[in-house]
Amino acid sequence: QVQLVESGGGLVQAGGSLRLSCAASASIFMASSMGWYRQAPGKQRDLVARIRTGGTVNYADSVKGRFTISRDNAKNTLYLQMNSLKPEDTAVYFCNAQFTAGGNYWGRGTQVTVSS
């Protein structure tokens, strides 16, 4: 069982920046994929950014050029640097880790609110 704990959310004005962190309770070196998803009220949970073993990165079109995902295997931590934030980025952000050997884990989420 892997526990994921997100942090770094908060209230920020449009145009501002936040950095989210996701601390894992176990080694993420063997994770085949780690990513950030977000869910706004009344909407489905959508992929924001994902990084796979080997370094392949995918971003949602809406965040390309503004958000950057990275992982530090030594610290078992996943990051999401969010710049030029917009009100439409407001959501609960969830960390996800998937392992080839099995297991699909989620954190409890961290709230990001962007005011206009």
Side-chain angles (χ1 to χ4, degrees), residues 13-101:
Q13 288 187 334
S17 298
L18 285 173
R19 188 175 85 152
L20 305 184
S21 298
C22 171
S25 63
S27 174
I28 64 172
F29 181 75
M30 296 304 295
S32 58
S33 172
M34 293 200 71
W36 290 95
Y37 291 72
R38 67 187 181 187
Q39 187 169 19
K43 296 188 177 181
Q44 66 180 19
R45 188 174 298 185
D46 291 325
L47 174 69
V48 176
R50 177 175 54 203
I51 184 167
R52 299 180 185 272
T53 301
T56 302
V57 176
N58 302 105
Y59 292 99
D61 287 343
S62 60
V63 306
K64 285 181 180 178
R66 300 188 298 122
F67 291 10
T68 303
I69 189 172
S70 61
R71 61 192 283 180
D72 186 333
N73 290 338
K75 295 183 178 180
N76 293 326
T77 302
L78 180 74
Y79 302 98
L80 184 68
Q81 178 66 44
M82 305 187 295
N83 299 327
S84 301
L85 283 160
K86 303 176 181 180
E88 51 263 44
D89 295 318
T90 295
V92 178
Y93 284 69
F94 296 90
C95 177
N96 173 261
Q98 299 177 22
F99 292 81
T100 303

